[in-house]
Every structure is written in structure tokens, then in C-alpha cells.
Amino acid sequence: YTIIWDRMVKRSDGYHIDGHKEAITYEITYDLKDGSVTQENPTSYKVTDSCTLNNPTRTGYTFAGWTGSNGDQPQTTVEVKKGIPGAKNFTANWEIKTYKVIFEYKDSANARKLDEQTIEYNFNATAPSVDSVIITPDTDKFFIFKGWDDTTTDKLENLKKEDIDKRLVTSEKKYVAQFGSQLSKIMFFVAKEV
């Protein structure tokens, strides 16, 4: 608190000074580390005030908590408590999200997983190499590999391995190998001989 002197009054016993206490305003600073809040947090407070911080969000990350004036261990619920003076500072802490990326092909009845990867947000998955001609184990037939389709979109893409390897992962993905025309075993072995 600080004392504010309002006026000096003359009385029979001398002069009397009237005043009052006023709570000091302290600053609150934040480092959101590329995050944002939908409802702004206060930038100042008085010891007569209390408030709970609004947590930020950040694309591709999970909010781990605040550190700073509340200590070194991140806390997701932080209250600036009434009666505690001094400037405050808070830093947002983040954990990067991870996503599953699955590569599979389908034979006549089943989906068969070729690979499953756990990829951090905004990093690349690596598509497995698939032979240009593949034999399906259940039918003993040969097919020409055309590319990968992303099942999380509505369009058929026939992506090449290098196309997928360049894409940044921002959500769960499932790629299904697409095969074209069926080859007979005779055509396949002739092609292998050449």
C-alpha cells in the first residue's frame, strides 16, 4: 500500500493531515512462446485483487502449464492471490503433439499394415518403399503399384514416396497403397528377365 495525503486541516489542537491508503498497482508480464489466448489475461493487479490465468493454445502443441512467479514446475491452473505484493511474470510451456501415420495395402478381404510411424507435429513421415510390381499373398496375383492415397481426404491422389516424404504431418494419417492392372505370372517373369 501507499499513503495518499488528501488535505491538511487546522484544528484547535494544531494541524491534522487527512489521508488514505491505496493499493499499489503491480505489473504482470507473459511469455506465451508463440501461443495465444482467446480471453486476455490481466497485465496488472493490486494486492486487493485476485485472478486465475487463462491458458493459451498453440497449433500442434499441448499446453503443459505456466512457470515463473508460481515456480519452476509447470502448472495448468495458476491464481494470482490476493494480499501478495510484487510484479509477476509467467511463461507458457508446451509439449509437441505426435500423430500416427499408417501405411497399408488391401488384399481381397483385409487391410494389411506395412508400417506405422509416430511423428511429431510439422515433421515428415517416410513412406515405405513398395515394389513397382507386387504379389498379393492371398490370391497369388501380380499388380502394378500406382501410388499412395491419403484416406483422410476425399480425392484419389496416387502419391509417390517422395511426395509423402515432403509432406509435414499435422494430423493422424492413413495412406493406402493403390494398385493398377493385374499382370499374369508369365508377363511378370518376362519383365524380370529383360
Side-chain angles (χ1 to χ4, degrees):
Y1 288 94
T2 186
I3 303 296
I4 306 296
W5 303 112
D6 296 322
R7 61 190 175 137
M8 188 181 306
V9 180
K10 185 175 182 183
R11 295 192 180 162
S12 60
D13 62 344
Y15 286 95
H16 181 77
I17 300 174
D18 287 335
H20 67 277
K21 289 191 309 185
E22 191 171 288
I24 297 171
T25 299
Y26 296 101
E27 182 180 34
I28 307 175
T29 57
Y30 305 91
D31 183 353
L32 299 180
K33 300 285 186 189
D34 296 326
S36 62
V37 287
T38 52
Q39 185 176 351
E40 292 296 321
N41 283 311
T43 55
S44 63
Y45 79 104
K46 297 180 179 183
V47 291
T48 54
D49 302 332
S50 66
C51 67
T52 301
L53 301 187
N54 297 309
N55 292 338
T57 57
R58 181 178 172 190
T59 302
Y61 292 80
T62 301
F63 179 65
W66 296 103
T67 54
S69 295
N70 59 313
D72 293 335
Q73 293 299 315
Q75 299 170 339
T76 56
T77 303
V78 173
E79 181 183 5
V80 176
K81 294 185 178 177
K82 186 187 289 191
I84 301 175
K88 309 282 184 206
N89 63 76
F90 299 100
T91 300
N93 294 268
W94 303 99
E95 293 174 357
I96 193 165
K97 289 182 180 179
T98 59
Y99 299 100
K100 293 244 181 272
V101 179
I102 297 170
F103 296 90
E104 64 183 31
Y105 74 93
K106 294 185 179 179
D107 58 29
S108 61
N110 303 305
R112 298 182 187 268
K113 193 182 294 183
L114 293 170
D115 192 18
E116 181 176 311
Q117 302 170 20
T118 301
I119 306 296
E120 290 183 344
Y121 171 78
N122 244 8
F123 281 80
N124 307 80
T126 303
S129 296
V130 175
D131 293 333
S132 58
V133 177
I134 193 165
I135 184 171
T136 57
D138 62 331
T139 62
D140 203 30
K141 294 179 182 170
F142 295 91
F143 293 91
I144 297 173
F145 175 68
K146 290 172 43 181
W148 296 99
D149 279 344
D150 180 351
T151 62
T152 56
T153 65
D154 290 333
K155 58 184 178 182
L156 296 175
E157 299 179 275
N158 289 327
L159 298 164
K160 305 287 183 243
K161 176 181 175 11
E162 55 270 14
D163 296 329
I164 293 173
D165 292 352
K166 287 186 231 172
R167 286 188 169 187
L168 298 178
V169 175
T170 58
S171 63
E172 302 281 320
K173 291 285 182 187
K174 184 187 286 185
Y175 293 101
V176 177
Q178 298 301 310
F179 296 95
S181 55
Q182 178 181 336
L183 299 173
S184 71
K185 290 183 182 179
I186 296 170
M187 287 177 63
F188 176 69
F189 287 120
V190 168
K192 289 286 268 191
E193 290 291 321
V194 176

PDB file of all heavy atoms in Angstrom, residues 154-180:
ATOM      1  N   ASP A 154     -10.819 -36.672 -49.555  1.00  0.00           N
ATOM      2  CA  ASP A 154     -11.839 -37.284 -50.406  1.00  0.00           C
ATOM      3  C   ASP A 154     -11.367 -37.566 -51.819  1.00  0.00           C
ATOM      4  O   ASP A 154     -12.107 -38.093 -52.631  1.00  0.00           O
ATOM      5  CB  ASP A 154     -13.076 -36.364 -50.484  1.00  0.00           C
ATOM      6  CG  ASP A 154     -13.805 -36.323 -49.155  1.00  0.00           C
ATOM      7  OD1 ASP A 154     -13.718 -37.300 -48.404  1.00  0.00           O
ATOM      8  OD2 ASP A 154     -14.456 -35.307 -48.884  1.00  0.00           O
ATOM      9  N   LYS A 155     -10.140 -37.197 -52.150  1.00  0.00           N
ATOM     10  CA  LYS A 155      -9.698 -37.381 -53.535  1.00  0.00           C
ATOM     11  C   LYS A 155      -8.626 -38.461 -53.631  1.00  0.00           C
ATOM     12  O   LYS A 155      -7.842 -38.653 -52.704  1.00  0.00           O
ATOM     13  CB  LYS A 155      -9.191 -36.066 -54.109  1.00  0.00           C
ATOM     14  CG  LYS A 155      -8.044 -35.457 -53.332  1.00  0.00           C
ATOM     15  CD  LYS A 155      -7.667 -34.109 -53.892  1.00  0.00           C
ATOM     16  CE  LYS A 155      -6.553 -33.517 -53.047  1.00  0.00           C
ATOM     17  NZ  LYS A 155      -6.141 -32.238 -53.438  1.00  0.00           N
ATOM     18  N   LEU A 156      -8.603 -39.142 -54.760  1.00  0.00           N
ATOM     19  CA  LEU A 156      -7.560 -40.129 -55.015  1.00  0.00           C
ATOM     20  C   LEU A 156      -6.339 -39.379 -55.533  1.00  0.00           C
ATOM     21  O   LEU A 156      -6.428 -38.607 -56.479  1.00  0.00           O
ATOM     22  CB  LEU A 156      -8.046 -41.152 -56.043  1.00  0.00           C
ATOM     23  CG  LEU A 156      -9.226 -42.002 -55.596  1.00  0.00           C
ATOM     24  CD1 LEU A 156      -9.694 -42.886 -56.733  1.00  0.00           C
ATOM     25  CD2 LEU A 156      -8.860 -42.832 -54.386  1.00  0.00           C
ATOM     26  N   GLU A 157      -5.192 -39.612 -54.904  1.00  0.00           N
ATOM     27  CA  GLU A 157      -4.014 -38.816 -55.239  1.00  0.00           C
ATOM     28  C   GLU A 157      -2.905 -39.602 -55.924  1.00  0.00           C
ATOM     29  O   GLU A 157      -2.110 -39.019 -56.631  1.00  0.00           O
ATOM     30  CB  GLU A 157      -3.464 -38.158 -53.969  1.00  0.00           C
ATOM     31  CG  GLU A 157      -4.457 -37.228 -53.308  1.00  0.00           C
ATOM     32  CD  GLU A 157      -3.911 -36.617 -52.048  1.00  0.00           C
ATOM     33  OE1 GLU A 157      -4.005 -37.264 -50.993  1.00  0.00           O
ATOM     34  OE2 GLU A 157      -3.372 -35.504 -52.138  1.00  0.00           O
ATOM     35  N   ASN A 158      -2.796 -40.897 -55.657  1.00  0.00           N
ATOM     36  CA  ASN A 158      -1.686 -41.703 -56.173  1.00  0.00           C
ATOM     37  C   ASN A 158      -0.338 -41.024 -55.929  1.00  0.00           C
ATOM     38  O   ASN A 158       0.440 -40.780 -56.834  1.00  0.00           O
ATOM     39  CB  ASN A 158      -1.874 -42.004 -57.664  1.00  0.00           C
ATOM     40  CG  ASN A 158      -3.001 -42.988 -57.881  1.00  0.00           C
ATOM     41  OD1 ASN A 158      -3.232 -43.863 -57.062  1.00  0.00           O
ATOM     42  ND2 ASN A 158      -3.709 -42.833 -58.977  1.00  0.00           N
ATOM     43  N   LEU A 159      -0.088 -40.712 -54.668  1.00  0.00           N
ATOM     44  CA  LEU A 159       1.142 -40.028 -54.277  1.00  0.00           C
ATOM     45  C   LEU A 159       2.347 -40.946 -54.396  1.00  0.00           C
ATOM     46  O   LEU A 159       2.284 -42.125 -54.052  1.00  0.00           O
ATOM     47  CB  LEU A 159       1.031 -39.544 -52.833  1.00  0.00           C
ATOM     48  CG  LEU A 159      -0.066 -38.526 -52.547  1.00  0.00           C
ATOM     49  CD1 LEU A 159      -0.318 -38.436 -51.059  1.00  0.00           C
ATOM     50  CD2 LEU A 159       0.336 -37.177 -53.106  1.00  0.00           C
ATOM     51  N   LYS A 160       3.436 -40.401 -54.846  1.00  0.00           N
ATOM     52  CA  LYS A 160       4.703 -41.122 -54.885  1.00  0.00           C
ATOM     53  C   LYS A 160       5.357 -41.043 -53.508  1.00  0.00           C
ATOM     54  O   LYS A 160       5.025 -40.186 -52.683  1.00  0.00           O
ATOM     55  CB  LYS A 160       5.638 -40.515 -55.942  1.00  0.00           C
ATOM     56  CG  LYS A 160       5.027 -40.446 -57.335  1.00  0.00           C
ATOM     57  CD  LYS A 160       4.970 -41.826 -57.940  1.00  0.00           C
ATOM     58  CE  LYS A 160       4.438 -41.760 -59.352  1.00  0.00           C
ATOM     59  NZ  LYS A 160       3.184 -42.466 -59.529  1.00  0.00           N
ATOM     60  N   LYS A 161       6.315 -41.921 -53.254  1.00  0.00           N
ATOM     61  CA  LYS A 161       7.043 -41.930 -51.987  1.00  0.00           C
ATOM     62  C   LYS A 161       7.624 -40.557 -51.679  1.00  0.00           C
ATOM     63  O   LYS A 161       7.476 -40.038 -50.576  1.00  0.00           O
ATOM     64  CB  LYS A 161       8.151 -42.985 -52.028  1.00  0.00           C
ATOM     65  CG  LYS A 161       9.025 -43.009 -50.775  1.00  0.00           C
ATOM     66  CD  LYS A 161      10.109 -44.046 -50.890  1.00  0.00           C
ATOM     67  CE  LYS A 161      11.092 -44.067 -49.762  1.00  0.00           C
ATOM     68  NZ  LYS A 161      10.880 -43.334 -48.575  1.00  0.00           N
ATOM     69  N   GLU A 162       8.252 -39.919 -52.669  1.00  0.00           N
ATOM     70  CA  GLU A 162       8.888 -38.611 -52.442  1.00  0.00           C
ATOM     71  C   GLU A 162       7.865 -37.520 -52.126  1.00  0.00           C
ATOM     72  O   GLU A 162       8.174 -36.560 -51.416  1.00  0.00           O
ATOM     73  CB  GLU A 162       9.789 -38.206 -53.620  1.00  0.00           C
ATOM     74  CG  GLU A 162       9.123 -38.193 -54.967  1.00  0.00           C
ATOM     75  CD  GLU A 162       9.204 -39.531 -55.711  1.00  0.00           C
ATOM     76  OE1 GLU A 162       9.536 -40.574 -55.112  1.00  0.00           O
ATOM     77  OE2 GLU A 162       8.907 -39.521 -56.908  1.00  0.00           O
ATOM     78  N   ASP A 163       6.614 -37.659 -52.623  1.00  0.00           N
ATOM     79  CA  ASP A 163       5.567 -36.684 -52.291  1.00  0.00           C
ATOM     80  C   ASP A 163       5.219 -36.767 -50.808  1.00  0.00           C
ATOM     81  O   ASP A 163       5.088 -35.748 -50.132  1.00  0.00           O
ATOM     82  CB  ASP A 163       4.295 -36.943 -53.113  1.00  0.00           C
ATOM     83  CG  ASP A 163       4.508 -36.763 -54.611  1.00  0.00           C
ATOM     84  OD1 ASP A 163       5.353 -35.929 -54.991  1.00  0.00           O
ATOM     85  OD2 ASP A 163       3.833 -37.460 -55.390  1.00  0.00           O
ATOM     86  N   ILE A 164       5.066 -37.974 -50.309  1.00  0.00           N
ATOM     87  CA  ILE A 164       4.732 -38.170 -48.897  1.00  0.00           C
ATOM     88  C   ILE A 164       5.900 -37.746 -48.015  1.00  0.00           C
ATOM     89  O   ILE A 164       5.710 -37.101 -46.978  1.00  0.00           O
ATOM     90  CB  ILE A 164       4.334 -39.633 -48.623  1.00  0.00           C
ATOM     91  CG1 ILE A 164       3.019 -39.928 -49.348  1.00  0.00           C
ATOM     92  CG2 ILE A 164       4.209 -39.902 -47.130  1.00  0.00           C
ATOM     93  CD1 ILE A 164       2.595 -41.364 -49.312  1.00  0.00           C
ATOM     94  N   ASP A 165       7.114 -38.077 -48.426  1.00  0.00           N
ATOM     95  CA  ASP A 165       8.295 -37.747 -47.623  1.00  0.00           C
ATOM     96  C   ASP A 165       8.468 -36.240 -47.441  1.00  0.00           C
ATOM     97  O   ASP A 165       9.102 -35.796 -46.486  1.00  0.00           O
ATOM     98  CB  ASP A 165       9.559 -38.335 -48.260  1.00  0.00           C
ATOM     99  CG  ASP A 165       9.582 -39.856 -48.211  1.00  0.00           C
ATOM    100  OD1 ASP A 165       8.709 -40.448 -47.556  1.00  0.00           O
ATOM    101  OD2 ASP A 165      10.471 -40.452 -48.842  1.00  0.00           O
ATOM    102  N   LYS A 166       7.894 -35.425 -48.335  1.00  0.00           N
ATOM    103  CA  LYS A 166       7.999 -33.962 -48.246  1.00  0.00           C
ATOM    104  C   LYS A 166       6.874 -33.339 -47.430  1.00  0.00           C
ATOM    105  O   LYS A 166       6.974 -32.199 -47.022  1.00  0.00           O
ATOM    106  CB  LYS A 166       7.961 -33.346 -49.655  1.00  0.00           C
ATOM    107  CG  LYS A 166       9.214 -33.560 -50.457  1.00  0.00           C
ATOM    108  CD  LYS A 166       9.109 -32.781 -51.744  1.00  0.00           C
ATOM    109  CE  LYS A 166       9.425 -33.681 -52.916  1.00  0.00           C
ATOM    110  NZ  LYS A 166       9.166 -33.075 -54.201  1.00  0.00           N
ATOM    111  N   ARG A 167       5.795 -34.074 -47.204  1.00  0.00           N
ATOM    112  CA  ARG A 167       4.629 -33.525 -46.502  1.00  0.00           C
ATOM    113  C   ARG A 167       4.882 -33.413 -45.002  1.00  0.00           C
ATOM    114  O   ARG A 167       5.376 -34.341 -44.374  1.00  0.00           O
ATOM    115  CB  ARG A 167       3.407 -34.410 -46.703  1.00  0.00           C
ATOM    116  CG  ARG A 167       2.804 -34.302 -48.064  1.00  0.00           C
ATOM    117  CD  ARG A 167       1.497 -35.048 -48.109  1.00  0.00           C
ATOM    118  NE  ARG A 167       0.797 -34.723 -49.347  1.00  0.00           N
ATOM    119  CZ  ARG A 167      -0.425 -35.104 -49.610  1.00  0.00           C
ATOM    120  NH1 ARG A 167      -1.092 -35.829 -48.745  1.00  0.00           N
ATOM    121  NH2 ARG A 167      -0.994 -34.772 -50.747  1.00  0.00           N
ATOM    122  N   LEU A 168       4.477 -32.270 -44.424  1.00  0.00           N
ATOM    123  CA  LEU A 168       4.567 -32.096 -42.983  1.00  0.00           C
ATOM    124  C   LEU A 168       3.316 -32.687 -42.340  1.00  0.00           C
ATOM    125  O   LEU A 168       2.200 -32.461 -42.799  1.00  0.00           O
ATOM    126  CB  LEU A 168       4.703 -30.618 -42.631  1.00  0.00           C
ATOM    127  CG  LEU A 168       5.952 -29.936 -43.183  1.00  0.00           C
ATOM    128  CD1 LEU A 168       5.953 -28.458 -42.822  1.00  0.00           C
ATOM    129  CD2 LEU A 168       7.220 -30.614 -42.663  1.00  0.00           C
ATOM    130  N   VAL A 169       3.508 -33.437 -41.272  1.00  0.00           N
ATOM    131  CA  VAL A 169       2.400 -34.113 -40.590  1.00  0.00           C
ATOM    132  C   VAL A 169       1.763 -33.137 -39.602  1.00  0.00           C
ATOM    133  O   VAL A 169       2.436 -32.589 -38.736  1.00  0.00           O
ATOM    134  CB  VAL A 169       2.894 -35.379 -39.862  1.00  0.00           C
ATOM    135  CG1 VAL A 169       1.783 -36.010 -39.046  1.00  0.00           C
ATOM    136  CG2 VAL A 169       3.464 -36.368 -40.864  1.00  0.00           C
ATOM    137  N   THR A 170       0.444 -32.926 -39.763  1.00  0.00           N
ATOM    138  CA  THR A 170      -0.298 -32.040 -38.859  1.00  0.00           C
ATOM    139  C   THR A 170      -1.536 -32.721 -38.273  1.00  0.00           C
ATOM    140  O   THR A 170      -2.300 -32.087 -37.552  1.00  0.00           O
ATOM    141  CB  THR A 170      -0.728 -30.750 -39.594  1.00  0.00           C
ATOM    142  OG1 THR A 170      -1.528 -31.110 -40.719  1.00  0.00           O
ATOM    143  CG2 THR A 170       0.491 -29.950 -40.054  1.00  0.00           C
ATOM    144  N   SER A 171      -1.728 -33.992 -38.588  1.00  0.00           N
ATOM    145  CA  SER A 171      -2.867 -34.745 -38.061  1.00  0.00           C
ATOM    146  C   SER A 171      -2.617 -36.235 -38.299  1.00  0.00           C
ATOM    147  O   SER A 171      -1.653 -36.607 -38.966  1.00  0.00           O
ATOM    148  CB  SER A 171      -4.163 -34.309 -38.750  1.00  0.00           C
ATOM    149  OG  SER A 171      -4.105 -34.613 -40.134  1.00  0.00           O
ATOM    150  N   GLU A 172      -3.495 -37.074 -37.731  1.00  0.00           N
ATOM    151  CA  GLU A 172      -3.414 -38.518 -37.976  1.00  0.00           C
ATOM    152  C   GLU A 172      -3.587 -38.766 -39.471  1.00  0.00           C
ATOM    153  O   GLU A 172      -4.411 -38.112 -40.120  1.00  0.00           O
ATOM    154  CB  GLU A 172      -4.521 -39.251 -37.215  1.00  0.00           C
ATOM    155  CG  GLU A 172      -4.491 -39.018 -35.706  1.00  0.00           C
ATOM    156  CD  GLU A 172      -3.458 -39.846 -34.980  1.00  0.00           C
ATOM    157  OE1 GLU A 172      -3.292 -41.019 -35.320  1.00  0.00           O
ATOM    158  OE2 GLU A 172      -2.813 -39.308 -34.063  1.00  0.00           O
ATOM    159  N   LYS A 173      -2.837 -39.726 -40.029  1.00  0.00           N
ATOM    160  CA  LYS A 173      -2.919 -40.031 -41.464  1.00  0.00           C
ATOM    161  C   LYS A 173      -2.928 -41.529 -41.683  1.00  0.00           C
ATOM    162  O   LYS A 173      -2.316 -42.285 -40.936  1.00  0.00           O
ATOM    163  CB  LYS A 173      -1.713 -39.448 -42.220  1.00  0.00           C
ATOM    164  CG  LYS A 173      -1.677 -37.938 -42.303  1.00  0.00           C
ATOM    165  CD  LYS A 173      -2.673 -37.443 -43.307  1.00  0.00           C
ATOM    166  CE  LYS A 173      -2.609 -35.948 -43.442  1.00  0.00           C
ATOM    167  NZ  LYS A 173      -3.673 -35.447 -44.277  1.00  0.00           N
ATOM    168  N   LYS A 174      -3.631 -41.920 -42.740  1.00  0.00           N
ATOM    169  CA  LYS A 174      -3.572 -43.311 -43.192  1.00  0.00           C
ATOM    170  C   LYS A 174      -3.438 -43.269 -44.705  1.00  0.00           C
ATOM    171  O   LYS A 174      -4.241 -42.662 -45.402  1.00  0.00           O
ATOM    172  CB  LYS A 174      -4.814 -44.085 -42.810  1.00  0.00           C
ATOM    173  CG  LYS A 174      -4.697 -45.571 -43.211  1.00  0.00           C
ATOM    174  CD  LYS A 174      -5.975 -46.332 -43.002  1.00  0.00           C
ATOM    175  CE  LYS A 174      -6.199 -46.582 -41.534  1.00  0.00           C
ATOM    176  NZ  LYS A 174      -7.393 -47.422 -41.300  1.00  0.00           N
ATOM    177  N   TYR A 175      -2.365 -43.892 -45.194  1.00  0.00           N
ATOM    178  CA  TYR A 175      -2.121 -43.987 -46.630  1.00  0.00           C
ATOM    179  C   TYR A 175      -2.331 -45.440 -47.058  1.00  0.00           C
ATOM    180  O   TYR A 175      -1.826 -46.353 -46.419  1.00  0.00           O
ATOM    181  CB  TYR A 175      -0.686 -43.555 -46.967  1.00  0.00           C
ATOM    182  CG  TYR A 175      -0.427 -42.089 -46.713  1.00  0.00           C
ATOM    183  CD1 TYR A 175       0.245 -41.670 -45.573  1.00  0.00           C
ATOM    184  CD2 TYR A 175      -0.849 -41.126 -47.617  1.00  0.00           C
ATOM    185  CE1 TYR A 175       0.488 -40.322 -45.337  1.00  0.00           C
ATOM    186  CE2 TYR A 175      -0.605 -39.780 -47.396  1.00  0.00           C
ATOM    187  CZ  TYR A 175       0.063 -39.387 -46.248  1.00  0.00           C
ATOM    188  OH  TYR A 175       0.300 -38.054 -46.025  1.00  0.00           O
ATOM    189  N   VAL A 176      -3.077 -45.620 -48.143  1.00  0.00           N
ATOM    190  CA  VAL A 176      -3.355 -46.955 -48.657  1.00  0.00           C
ATOM    191  C   VAL A 176      -2.705 -47.082 -50.030  1.00  0.00           C
ATOM    192  O   VAL A 176      -2.884 -46.212 -50.896  1.00  0.00           O
ATOM    193  CB  VAL A 176      -4.870 -47.213 -48.753  1.00  0.00           C
ATOM    194  CG1 VAL A 176      -5.150 -48.576 -49.364  1.00  0.00           C
ATOM    195  CG2 VAL A 176      -5.500 -47.109 -47.374  1.00  0.00           C
ATOM    196  N   ALA A 177      -1.936 -48.147 -50.212  1.00  0.00           N
ATOM    197  CA  ALA A 177      -1.283 -48.401 -51.499  1.00  0.00           C
ATOM    198  C   ALA A 177      -2.348 -48.674 -52.558  1.00  0.00           C
ATOM    199  O   ALA A 177      -3.294 -49.419 -52.318  1.00  0.00           O
ATOM    200  CB  ALA A 177      -0.331 -49.583 -51.380  1.00  0.00           C
ATOM    201  N   GLN A 178      -2.180 -48.065 -53.731  1.00  0.00           N
ATOM    202  CA  GLN A 178      -3.106 -48.263 -54.844  1.00  0.00           C
ATOM    203  C   GLN A 178      -2.395 -49.042 -55.938  1.00  0.00           C
ATOM    204  O   GLN A 178      -1.246 -48.744 -56.278  1.00  0.00           O
ATOM    205  CB  GLN A 178      -3.591 -46.919 -55.383  1.00  0.00           C
ATOM    206  CG  GLN A 178      -4.362 -46.097 -54.365  1.00  0.00           C
ATOM    207  CD  GLN A 178      -5.590 -46.815 -53.851  1.00  0.00           C
ATOM    208  OE1 GLN A 178      -6.394 -47.310 -54.635  1.00  0.00           O
ATOM    209  NE2 GLN A 178      -5.726 -46.889 -52.527  1.00  0.00           N
ATOM    210  N   PHE A 179      -3.102 -50.027 -56.461  1.00  0.00           N
ATOM    211  CA  PHE A 179      -2.535 -50.874 -57.498  1.00  0.00           C
ATOM    212  C   PHE A 179      -3.390 -50.780 -58.751  1.00  0.00           C
ATOM    213  O   PHE A 179      -4.606 -50.636 -58.685  1.00  0.00           O
ATOM    214  CB  PHE A 179      -2.449 -52.330 -57.023  1.00  0.00           C
ATOM    215  CG  PHE A 179      -1.520 -52.491 -55.854  1.00  0.00           C
ATOM    216  CD1 PHE A 179      -2.007 -52.487 -54.559  1.00  0.00           C
ATOM    217  CD2 PHE A 179      -0.163 -52.607 -56.062  1.00  0.00           C
ATOM    218  CE1 PHE A 179      -1.146 -52.610 -53.487  1.00  0.00           C
ATOM    219  CE2 PHE A 179       0.697 -52.734 -54.991  1.00  0.00           C
ATOM    220  CZ  PHE A 179       0.209 -52.740 -53.701  1.00  0.00           C
ATOM    221  N   GLY A 180      -2.716 -50.856 -59.877  1.00  0.00           N
ATOM    222  CA  GLY A 180      -3.401 -50.792 -61.157  1.00  0.00           C
ATOM    223  C   GLY A 180      -3.681 -52.171 -61.705  1.00  0.00           C
ATOM    224  O   GLY A 180      -3.981 -53.102 -60.961  1.00  0.00           O
TER     225      GLY A 180
END
